[in-house]
Short mmCIF file of all heavy atoms in Angstrom, two decimals:
data_model
loop_
_atom_site.label_atom_id
_atom_site.label_comp_id
_atom_site.label_asym_id
_atom_site.label_seq_id
_atom_site.Cartn_x
_atom_site.Cartn_y
_atom_site.Cartn_z
N ILE A 1170 -152.19 18.75 16.72
CA ILE A 1170 -153.35 18.84 15.84
C ILE A 1170 -153.97 20.24 15.94
O ILE A 1170 -154.47 20.64 17.00
CB ILE A 1170 -154.42 17.78 16.20
CG1 ILE A 1170 -153.80 16.37 16.14
CG2 ILE A 1170 -155.62 17.88 15.28
CD1 ILE A 1170 -154.69 15.30 16.74
N ILE A 1171 -153.90 20.97 14.83
CA ILE A 1171 -154.62 22.24 14.75
C ILE A 1171 -155.97 21.98 14.08
O ILE A 1171 -156.03 21.41 12.99
CB ILE A 1171 -153.85 23.29 13.93
CG1 ILE A 1171 -152.55 23.69 14.63
CG2 ILE A 1171 -154.72 24.53 13.68
CD1 ILE A 1171 -152.71 24.58 15.82
N VAL A 1172 -157.03 22.37 14.75
CA VAL A 1172 -158.38 22.28 14.19
C VAL A 1172 -158.74 23.67 13.66
O VAL A 1172 -158.67 24.65 14.41
CB VAL A 1172 -159.40 21.82 15.24
CG1 VAL A 1172 -160.82 21.90 14.70
CG2 VAL A 1172 -159.10 20.40 15.69
N ALA A 1173 -159.10 23.76 12.40
CA ALA A 1173 -159.52 25.04 11.81
C ALA A 1173 -161.01 24.94 11.46
O ALA A 1173 -161.42 24.02 10.75
CB ALA A 1173 -158.71 25.37 10.56
N ILE A 1174 -161.80 25.87 11.96
CA ILE A 1174 -163.25 25.83 11.76
C ILE A 1174 -163.72 27.09 11.03
O ILE A 1174 -163.42 28.22 11.43
CB ILE A 1174 -164.00 25.69 13.11
CG1 ILE A 1174 -163.64 24.35 13.76
CG2 ILE A 1174 -165.51 25.77 12.89
CD1 ILE A 1174 -164.39 24.08 15.06
N ASP A 1175 -164.44 26.87 9.96
CA ASP A 1175 -165.01 27.94 9.14
C ASP A 1175 -166.16 28.59 9.92
O ASP A 1175 -167.10 27.91 10.33
CB ASP A 1175 -165.52 27.29 7.84
CG ASP A 1175 -166.00 28.31 6.82
OD1 ASP A 1175 -166.15 29.49 7.17
OD2 ASP A 1175 -166.25 27.90 5.67
N THR A 1176 -166.08 29.90 10.11
CA THR A 1176 -167.16 30.63 10.81
C THR A 1176 -167.87 31.60 9.88
O THR A 1176 -168.53 32.53 10.35
CB THR A 1176 -166.60 31.39 12.03
OG1 THR A 1176 -165.65 32.37 11.58
CG2 THR A 1176 -165.93 30.45 13.01
N SER A 1177 -167.73 31.39 8.57
CA SER A 1177 -168.39 32.28 7.62
C SER A 1177 -169.90 32.10 7.66
O SER A 1177 -170.43 31.13 8.22
CB SER A 1177 -167.86 32.02 6.21
OG SER A 1177 -168.12 30.70 5.81
N ARG A 1178 -170.61 33.04 7.05
CA ARG A 1178 -172.07 33.05 7.12
C ARG A 1178 -172.69 31.81 6.48
O ARG A 1178 -173.76 31.34 6.91
CB ARG A 1178 -172.60 34.31 6.43
CG ARG A 1178 -174.07 34.58 6.69
CD ARG A 1178 -174.43 36.00 6.35
NE ARG A 1178 -174.08 36.36 4.98
CZ ARG A 1178 -174.39 37.53 4.42
NH1 ARG A 1178 -175.03 38.45 5.12
NH2 ARG A 1178 -174.06 37.81 3.18
N SER A 1179 -171.99 31.21 5.50
CA SER A 1179 -172.54 30.02 4.85
C SER A 1179 -172.62 28.84 5.82
O SER A 1179 -173.38 27.89 5.57
CB SER A 1179 -171.67 29.62 3.65
OG SER A 1179 -170.36 29.29 4.05
N MET A 1180 -171.87 28.90 6.93
CA MET A 1180 -171.91 27.80 7.91
C MET A 1180 -173.19 27.81 8.74
O MET A 1180 -173.40 26.93 9.58
CB MET A 1180 -170.68 27.88 8.80
CG MET A 1180 -169.38 27.58 8.08
SD MET A 1180 -169.23 25.86 7.55
CE MET A 1180 -168.82 25.09 9.12
N LEU A 1181 -174.05 28.80 8.51
CA LEU A 1181 -175.36 28.80 9.17
C LEU A 1181 -176.41 28.01 8.37
O LEU A 1181 -177.54 27.87 8.81
CB LEU A 1181 -175.85 30.24 9.37
CG LEU A 1181 -175.10 31.05 10.43
CD1 LEU A 1181 -175.62 32.48 10.45
CD2 LEU A 1181 -175.22 30.41 11.79
N ALA A 1182 -176.03 27.52 7.19
CA ALA A 1182 -176.97 26.73 6.38
C ALA A 1182 -177.43 25.51 7.16
O ALA A 1182 -176.67 24.92 7.94
CB ALA A 1182 -176.30 26.31 5.08
N ARG A 1183 -178.67 25.12 6.94
CA ARG A 1183 -179.28 24.07 7.75
C ARG A 1183 -179.43 22.75 7.01
O ARG A 1183 -180.31 21.95 7.34
CB ARG A 1183 -180.66 24.54 8.25
CG ARG A 1183 -180.57 25.80 9.10
CD ARG A 1183 -181.95 26.29 9.50
NE ARG A 1183 -181.88 27.56 10.25
CZ ARG A 1183 -182.94 28.26 10.62
NH1 ARG A 1183 -184.17 27.83 10.32
NH2 ARG A 1183 -182.78 29.38 11.29
N ASP A 1184 -178.56 22.51 6.01
CA ASP A 1184 -178.62 21.19 5.38
C ASP A 1184 -178.07 20.11 6.32
O ASP A 1184 -178.26 18.92 6.10
CB ASP A 1184 -177.90 21.16 4.03
CG ASP A 1184 -176.55 21.85 4.06
OD1 ASP A 1184 -176.14 22.32 5.13
OD2 ASP A 1184 -175.90 21.90 3.00
N LEU A 1185 -177.36 20.54 7.38
CA LEU A 1185 -177.05 19.70 8.53
C LEU A 1185 -177.72 20.35 9.73
O LEU A 1185 -177.60 21.55 9.93
CB LEU A 1185 -175.54 19.61 8.77
CG LEU A 1185 -174.69 18.90 7.70
CD1 LEU A 1185 -173.24 18.88 8.15
CD2 LEU A 1185 -175.19 17.50 7.44
N GLN A 1186 -178.43 19.57 10.51
CA GLN A 1186 -179.17 20.12 11.65
C GLN A 1186 -178.33 20.13 12.91
O GLN A 1186 -177.57 19.20 13.16
CB GLN A 1186 -180.44 19.30 11.87
CG GLN A 1186 -181.47 19.45 10.77
CD GLN A 1186 -182.01 20.86 10.67
OE1 GLN A 1186 -182.23 21.52 11.70
NE2 GLN A 1186 -182.21 21.33 9.45
N PRO A 1187 -178.42 21.20 13.74
CA PRO A 1187 -179.25 22.39 13.54
C PRO A 1187 -178.66 23.36 12.51
O PRO A 1187 -179.38 24.09 11.89
CB PRO A 1187 -179.28 23.02 14.93
CG PRO A 1187 -178.00 22.59 15.56
CD PRO A 1187 -177.72 21.21 15.03
N ASN A 1188 -177.34 23.36 12.33
CA ASN A 1188 -176.69 24.08 11.23
C ASN A 1188 -175.26 23.57 11.09
O ASN A 1188 -174.77 22.81 11.93
CB ASN A 1188 -176.74 25.61 11.42
CG ASN A 1188 -176.06 26.06 12.70
OD1 ASN A 1188 -174.92 25.72 12.98
ND2 ASN A 1188 -176.78 26.86 13.50
N ARG A 1189 -174.60 23.98 10.02
CA ARG A 1189 -173.27 23.46 9.73
C ARG A 1189 -172.26 23.77 10.84
O ARG A 1189 -171.46 22.92 11.24
CB ARG A 1189 -172.76 24.03 8.41
CG ARG A 1189 -173.55 23.59 7.20
CD ARG A 1189 -173.03 24.31 5.96
NE ARG A 1189 -173.83 23.97 4.77
CZ ARG A 1189 -173.65 24.53 3.58
NH1 ARG A 1189 -172.72 25.47 3.42
NH2 ARG A 1189 -174.41 24.17 2.55
N LEU A 1190 -172.28 25.00 11.33
CA LEU A 1190 -171.28 25.41 12.32
C LEU A 1190 -171.42 24.61 13.61
O LEU A 1190 -170.42 24.15 14.18
CB LEU A 1190 -171.40 26.90 12.61
CG LEU A 1190 -170.40 27.47 13.63
CD1 LEU A 1190 -168.97 27.19 13.21
CD2 LEU A 1190 -170.63 28.96 13.83
N THR A 1191 -172.64 24.43 14.08
CA THR A 1191 -172.85 23.66 15.31
C THR A 1191 -172.35 22.24 15.16
O THR A 1191 -171.70 21.68 16.05
CB THR A 1191 -174.34 23.67 15.69
OG1 THR A 1191 -174.76 25.02 15.89
CG2 THR A 1191 -174.58 22.88 16.96
N ARG A 1192 -172.63 21.63 14.00
CA ARG A 1192 -172.18 20.26 13.77
C ARG A 1192 -170.66 20.17 13.72
O ARG A 1192 -170.06 19.22 14.21
CB ARG A 1192 -172.79 19.73 12.48
CG ARG A 1192 -174.29 19.44 12.59
CD ARG A 1192 -174.57 18.24 13.49
NE ARG A 1192 -174.04 17.01 12.92
CZ ARG A 1192 -174.69 16.27 12.03
NH1 ARG A 1192 -175.89 16.64 11.60
NH2 ARG A 1192 -174.16 15.16 11.56
N ALA A 1193 -170.02 21.18 13.13
CA ALA A 1193 -168.56 21.20 13.07
C ALA A 1193 -167.96 21.31 14.48
O ALA A 1193 -166.97 20.63 14.80
CB ALA A 1193 -168.07 22.35 12.20
N LYS A 1194 -168.55 22.15 15.31
CA LYS A 1194 -168.05 22.32 16.67
C LYS A 1194 -168.19 21.02 17.47
O LYS A 1194 -167.27 20.63 18.21
CB LYS A 1194 -168.82 23.46 17.36
CG LYS A 1194 -168.46 24.83 16.79
CD LYS A 1194 -169.48 25.91 17.16
CE LYS A 1194 -169.56 26.16 18.63
NZ LYS A 1194 -170.45 27.32 18.93
N LEU A 1195 -169.32 20.34 17.32
CA LEU A 1195 -169.53 19.08 18.04
C LEU A 1195 -168.53 18.02 17.57
O LEU A 1195 -168.01 17.24 18.36
CB LEU A 1195 -170.96 18.59 17.83
CG LEU A 1195 -172.06 19.44 18.49
CD1 LEU A 1195 -173.45 18.95 18.06
CD2 LEU A 1195 -171.94 19.37 20.01
N ALA A 1196 -168.27 18.00 16.26
CA ALA A 1196 -167.32 17.03 15.71
C ALA A 1196 -165.91 17.30 16.23
O ALA A 1196 -165.16 16.37 16.54
CB ALA A 1196 -167.35 17.07 14.18
N ALA A 1197 -165.54 18.58 16.34
CA ALA A 1197 -164.22 18.93 16.85
C ALA A 1197 -164.06 18.47 18.31
O ALA A 1197 -162.99 18.00 18.72
CB ALA A 1197 -164.00 20.43 16.75
N LEU A 1198 -165.12 18.56 19.09
CA LEU A 1198 -165.07 18.10 20.48
C LEU A 1198 -164.99 16.57 20.54
O LEU A 1198 -164.34 16.01 21.43
CB LEU A 1198 -166.30 18.61 21.24
CG LEU A 1198 -166.36 20.12 21.45
CD1 LEU A 1198 -167.66 20.53 22.12
CD2 LEU A 1198 -165.16 20.61 22.27
N ASP A 1199 -165.63 15.89 19.59
CA ASP A 1199 -165.49 14.43 19.51
C ASP A 1199 -164.04 14.05 19.20
O ASP A 1199 -163.51 13.08 19.76
CB ASP A 1199 -166.40 13.86 18.41
CG ASP A 1199 -167.87 13.89 18.79
OD1 ASP A 1199 -168.17 13.99 20.00
OD2 ASP A 1199 -168.73 13.81 17.89
N LEU A 1200 -163.41 14.82 18.33
CA LEU A 1200 -162.00 14.56 17.99
C LEU A 1200 -161.11 14.75 19.20
O LEU A 1200 -160.16 13.99 19.42
CB LEU A 1200 -161.58 15.49 16.85
CG LEU A 1200 -160.21 15.25 16.23
CD1 LEU A 1200 -160.14 13.87 15.58
CD2 LEU A 1200 -159.91 16.33 15.19
N LEU A 1201 -161.42 15.75 20.01
CA LEU A 1201 -160.65 16.01 21.24
C LEU A 1201 -160.70 14.81 22.17
O LEU A 1201 -159.69 14.43 22.77
CB LEU A 1201 -161.21 17.25 21.94
CG LEU A 1201 -160.61 17.60 23.30
CD1 LEU A 1201 -159.13 18.00 23.15
CD2 LEU A 1201 -161.40 18.72 23.97
N LYS A 1202 -161.87 14.18 22.29
CA LYS A 1202 -162.00 13.01 23.16
C LYS A 1202 -161.15 11.85 22.68
O LYS A 1202 -160.61 11.07 23.48
CB LYS A 1202 -163.48 12.57 23.22
CG LYS A 1202 -164.40 13.57 23.90
CD LYS A 1202 -165.84 13.11 23.82
CE LYS A 1202 -166.80 14.15 24.37
NZ LYS A 1202 -168.22 13.73 24.20
N LEU A 1203 -161.00 11.71 21.36
CA LEU A 1203 -160.23 10.61 20.80
C LEU A 1203 -158.73 10.83 20.97
O LEU A 1203 -157.97 9.88 21.16
CB LEU A 1203 -160.56 10.44 19.31
CG LEU A 1203 -161.99 9.98 19.01
CD1 LEU A 1203 -162.31 10.21 17.53
CD2 LEU A 1203 -162.16 8.52 19.37
N GLY A 1204 -158.29 12.09 20.90
CA GLY A 1204 -156.86 12.39 20.99
C GLY A 1204 -156.44 12.69 22.41
O GLY A 1204 -155.97 13.80 22.72
N LYS A 1205 -156.53 11.71 23.28
CA LYS A 1205 -156.27 11.93 24.71
C LYS A 1205 -154.84 12.36 25.00
O LYS A 1205 -154.57 13.06 25.97
CB LYS A 1205 -156.60 10.66 25.49
CG LYS A 1205 -158.08 10.27 25.44
CD LYS A 1205 -158.33 8.98 26.19
CE LYS A 1205 -159.80 8.58 26.12
NZ LYS A 1205 -160.06 7.29 26.80
N PHE A 1206 -153.89 11.92 24.16
CA PHE A 1206 -152.49 12.21 24.41
C PHE A 1206 -151.91 13.16 23.36
O PHE A 1206 -150.69 13.26 23.22
CB PHE A 1206 -151.69 10.91 24.46
CG PHE A 1206 -152.21 9.94 25.48
CD1 PHE A 1206 -152.92 8.82 25.09
CD2 PHE A 1206 -152.02 10.17 26.84
CE1 PHE A 1206 -153.41 7.93 26.03
CE2 PHE A 1206 -152.51 9.28 27.78
CZ PHE A 1206 -153.21 8.16 27.39
N ASP A 1207 -152.78 13.83 22.62
CA ASP A 1207 -152.34 14.77 21.58
C ASP A 1207 -152.52 16.21 22.06
O ASP A 1207 -153.36 16.49 22.92
CB ASP A 1207 -153.16 14.57 20.29
CG ASP A 1207 -153.07 13.14 19.78
OD1 ASP A 1207 -151.98 12.55 19.91
OD2 ASP A 1207 -154.08 12.63 19.26
N ARG A 1208 -151.74 17.10 21.48
CA ARG A 1208 -151.94 18.53 21.74
C ARG A 1208 -152.87 19.10 20.68
O ARG A 1208 -152.74 18.79 19.50
CB ARG A 1208 -150.61 19.29 21.71
CG ARG A 1208 -149.71 19.01 22.88
CD ARG A 1208 -148.65 20.09 23.04
NE ARG A 1208 -147.85 20.27 21.85
CZ ARG A 1208 -146.97 21.26 21.71
NH1 ARG A 1208 -146.80 22.14 22.68
NH2 ARG A 1208 -146.25 21.35 20.60
N PHE A 1209 -153.80 19.96 21.12
CA PHE A 1209 -154.76 20.55 20.20
C PHE A 1209 -154.64 22.07 20.22
O PHE A 1209 -154.36 22.68 21.26
CB PHE A 1209 -156.19 20.17 20.60
CG PHE A 1209 -156.61 18.80 20.15
CD1 PHE A 1209 -156.31 17.68 20.92
CD2 PHE A 1209 -157.29 18.62 18.96
CE1 PHE A 1209 -156.68 16.42 20.51
CE2 PHE A 1209 -157.67 17.36 18.53
CZ PHE A 1209 -157.36 16.25 19.31
N GLY A 1210 -154.88 22.66 19.06
CA GLY A 1210 -154.98 24.10 18.93
C GLY A 1210 -156.15 24.42 18.02
O GLY A 1210 -156.65 23.54 17.31
N LEU A 1211 -156.60 25.67 18.01
CA LEU A 1211 -157.78 26.05 17.23
C LEU A 1211 -157.53 27.31 16.41
O LEU A 1211 -157.04 28.31 16.94
CB LEU A 1211 -158.97 26.27 18.17
CG LEU A 1211 -160.27 26.76 17.50
CD1 LEU A 1211 -160.84 25.71 16.57
CD2 LEU A 1211 -161.30 27.16 18.56
N VAL A 1212 -157.86 27.24 15.13
CA VAL A 1212 -157.87 28.40 14.25
C VAL A 1212 -159.30 28.67 13.81
O VAL A 1212 -160.00 27.75 13.37
CB VAL A 1212 -156.98 28.17 13.00
CG1 VAL A 1212 -157.25 29.23 11.94
CG2 VAL A 1212 -155.51 28.18 13.39
N ALA A 1213 -159.76 29.90 13.97
CA ALA A 1213 -161.07 30.32 13.46
C ALA A 1213 -160.84 31.13 12.19
O ALA A 1213 -159.89 31.92 12.12
CB ALA A 1213 -161.81 31.16 14.49
#
Side-chain angles (χ1 to χ4, degrees):
I1170 303 169
I1171 294 286
V1172 173
I1174 297 183
D1175 186 349
T1176 62
S1177 61
R1178 192 163 56 174
S1179 63
M1180 292 292 283
L1181 289 176
R1183 300 176 184 175
D1184 45 2
L1185 294 182
Q1186 292 296 321
N1188 59 53
R1189 294 176 183 175
L1190 180 57
T1191 300
R1192 288 291 295 275
K1194 290 163 63 174
L1195 291 173
L1198 293 176
D1199 287 341
L1200 188 62
L1201 175 66
K1202 293 176 186 176
L1203 293 165
K1205 295 178 181 178
F1206 303 106
D1207 303 324
R1208 289 199 303 172
F1209 280 85
L1211 176 66
V1212 166

